[in-house]
Amino acid sequence: MIIKKNNLVEKQNILNEMRTKNMTLQELRFFSIYLSKINARDISTRKVIFPLEDFQRIMELGRLNINQLKITTDNLLCKIVHLPTERGGYTSFQLFKKCTIDQDENDEWFVEIDAHDDALPLMFDFKTRYFTYQLWNALQLKSSNQLRMYELLKQYEKIGVREIKVTDLRVFLGIGDDEYPRWDNFKRRVIDSCQQALLESTDIKFTYEPIKRGRGGKITAINFLIEKNNNFVDQLTLGGFIEQQPILDLENECEIKEVCFKNENLEFLADACDNEFDEQQMQLIYDLVKEIIPFSKNKDIERFNYLRKKYNEFNYRGSRNDQSSIKNRFAYFKSLLNLDLKEENQKYE
């Protein structure tokens, strides 16, 4: 077996342009790490094993408990990609088919994950129409938008230019129609944010030109000019990245814990907030989330994913502002949920 060095990610162009929604930064990053660990010329490497502690840190789980692990691995196994066909249709399938969490002969916990059979042609034995990048480029990016933007532009680095329709770009980045509908917000919150992040943390940088078409002069596409970023030198290794990730229970970090809250549902959702809030606070949060997402076939998973996304947004807002100005983190976080609830209620007025 040929062992890959330097955590090189090899990705087919068609897989890179997949239509997928609701993949978190942690899940996208995990997929990049998975691709860096397989050998695309050897299908026998399809199963990848992680020490449980590494998996915990990569997925930013905080405390370990069986419910949290189940929801995290279930989410990975539920990830669907939609690949467009030549006639305008699409084919859908899962990225992964099986995940095992167990102990080895040395009583060390591990996570093993295997690609789905239908996804194998996209991950192995391809010879053309693919690109590569060093994994370190994906490790320090702070949002799923930034990671996807990096891959979309890295694919065209040798050409140096890529024009993408705004509607396609939103799909590539997993941005819904109701998110940043105005161009100025989309430009500032997504494109400009990605531009700064890639400049600071990756081996490429870009400038861009909005393209207007039609009578109203509406911006319908963006022309990206891609260059090598020679100024970036902080090439973070996977081991270094894992060591940097905080973990809450340092004394028993690889022990799978049982429920600590009296209410198991609250314990489950508390993990989405890195266990920052106590049970009474989580009850108030849970009451709000139930109103925001009242009905769904998979409401528990959707509520967890929604809360995780809002918590990441909450921390991102805090990082952009003076943390000392937030006197009560719980009250501030609850206010963000109340804003979403207000918007949800306005839809039905």
Side-chain angles (χ1 to χ4, degrees):
M1 180 192 304
I2 301 175
I3 303 298
K4 273 200 302 187
K5 297 181 179 180
N6 301 323
N7 291 118
L8 185 69
V9 177
E10 296 179 283
K11 197 169 190 179
Q12 278 207 72
N13 295 348
I14 190 172
L15 180 59
N16 192 46
E17 296 180 1
M18 62 185 179
R19 267 66 170 173
T20 184
K21 298 182 79 172
N22 299 324
M23 284 189 79
T24 66
L25 170 63
Q26 293 77 18
E27 290 164 344
L28 286 170
R29 187 187 286 147
F30 178 82
F31 186 42
S32 295
I33 293 172
Y34 173 85
L35 292 177
S36 78
K37 285 181 170 291
I38 64 173
N39 179 356
R41 310 297 174 263
D42 184 355
I43 202 169
S44 70
T45 64
R46 59 186 286 180
K47 294 181 180 180
V48 174
I49 297 177
F50 297 84
L52 181 57
E53 178 184 347
D54 289 0
F55 182 77
Q56 179 184 9
R57 291 175 184 267
I58 291 169
M59 302 305 291
E60 300 180 9
L61 296 183
R63 286 186 304 169
L64 283 180
N65 64 59
I66 197 66
N67 289 330
Q68 170 71 338
L69 285 171
K70 284 180 179 177
I71 199 65
T72 301
T73 55
D74 284 357
N75 276 338
L76 286 173
L77 294 177
C78 288
K79 293 311 169 190
I80 305 294
V81 295
H82 307 287
L83 297 180
T85 61
E86 293 182 358
R87 298 185 179 183
Y90 63 90
T91 300
S92 301
F93 50 83
Q94 296 164 249
L95 283 175
F96 299 107
K97 74 170 184 178
K98 184 178 181 180
C99 185
T100 300
I101 294 182
D102 207 345
Q103 289 180 295
D104 60 21
E105 61 274 9
N106 297 317
D107 297 326
E108 297 290 338
W109 285 95
F110 68 88
V111 178
E112 180 184 83
I113 194 157
D114 188 6
H116 197 283
D117 292 349
D118 290 336
L120 293 178
L122 296 176
M123 300 182 191
F124 295 94
D125 296 330
F126 49 84
K127 295 180 175 62
T128 60
R129 297 185 61 78
Y130 72 97
F131 68 105
T132 64
Y133 65 87
Q134 297 290 339
L135 178 64
W136 60 264
N137 290 282
L139 297 181
Q140 297 193 86
L141 298 175
K142 304 302 183 184
S143 74
S144 55
N145 291 341
Q146 295 171 8
L147 180 47
R148 287 297 291 130
M149 182 72 84
Y150 171 77
E151 291 184 320
L152 289 169
L153 299 185
K154 183 66 176 180
Q155 178 184 339
Y156 278 66
E157 180 187 12
K158 292 181 180 179
I159 299 174
V161 61
R162 180 171 192 180
E163 181 179 320
I164 307 178
K165 293 180 180 178
V166 173
T167 52
D168 287 342
L169 181 61
R170 295 177 71 93
V171 172
F172 288 146
L173 300 182
I175 297 176
D177 294 336
D178 58 339
E179 295 181 85
Y180 316 121
R182 292 173 46 185
W183 163 254
D184 56 343
N185 286 336
F186 182 71
K187 173 184 180 300
R188 177 172 55 87
R189 299 292 297 275
V190 178
I191 303 176
D192 291 347
S193 176
C194 289
Q195 184 182 45
Q196 185 64 28
L198 267 58
L199 177 64
E200 294 176 352
S201 302
T202 76
D203 60 3
I204 61 172
K205 58 184 179 179
F206 72 89
T207 55
Y208 65 94
E209 302 167 345
I211 298 175
K212 296 182 179 181
R213 293 193 174 98
R215 287 184 179 179
K218 182 179 180 181
I219 296 172
T220 59
I222 303 171
N223 192 44
F224 292 94
L225 305 175
I226 310 155
E227 300 178 74
K228 186 175 183 62
N229 184 11
N230 293 313
N231 295 327
F232 185 78
V233 295
D234 185 14
Q235 300 181 11
L236 182 65
T237 65
L238 178 58
F241 167 78
I242 290 173
E243 289 179 3
Q244 285 184 8
Q245 303 314 298
I247 203 165
L248 295 183
D249 285 319
L250 296 177
E251 294 181 359
N252 300 297
E253 54 194 18
C254 286
E255 178 184 346
I256 299 179
K257 299 182 183 304
E258 298 299 327
V259 174
C260 296
F261 285 15
K262 293 180 181 179
N263 186 314
E264 188 171 338
N265 286 332
L266 299 184
E267 169 79 12
F268 168 63
L269 286 180
D271 286 318
C273 303
D274 286 345
N275 300 283
E276 177 173 342
F277 308 117
D278 62 30
E279 187 160 5
Q280 183 178 4
Q281 292 171 328
M282 285 307 306
Q283 181 64 61
L284 296 174
I285 290 172
Y286 181 49
D287 291 340
L288 286 171
V289 173
K290 283 194 299 183
E291 293 188 63
I292 296 169
I293 307 177
F295 306 108
S296 172
K297 182 179 179 180
N298 299 308
K299 60 180 181 297
D300 290 339
I301 294 177
E302 289 193 21
R303 287 169 178 171
F304 180 92
N305 289 339
Y306 162 77
L307 199 55
R308 185 68 184 177
K309 180 179 179 181
K310 293 304 294 185
Y311 186 74
N312 287 339
E313 176 190 329
F314 165 63
N315 283 325
Y316 177 71
R317 286 171 180 247
S319 68
R320 293 176 63 87
N321 301 306
D322 182 4
Q323 288 279 5
S324 63
S325 66
I326 302 176
K327 303 300 182 184
N328 187 324
R329 282 176 59 86
F330 169 69
Y332 182 60
F333 182 61
K334 192 156 67 77
S335 71
L336 297 180
L337 301 182
N338 276 314
L339 286 175
D340 282 2
L341 179 58
K342 182 178 179 181
E343 291 180 5
E344 190 68 23
N345 290 335
Q346 286 174 347
K347 294 179 182 179
Y348 302 98
E349 291 180 356

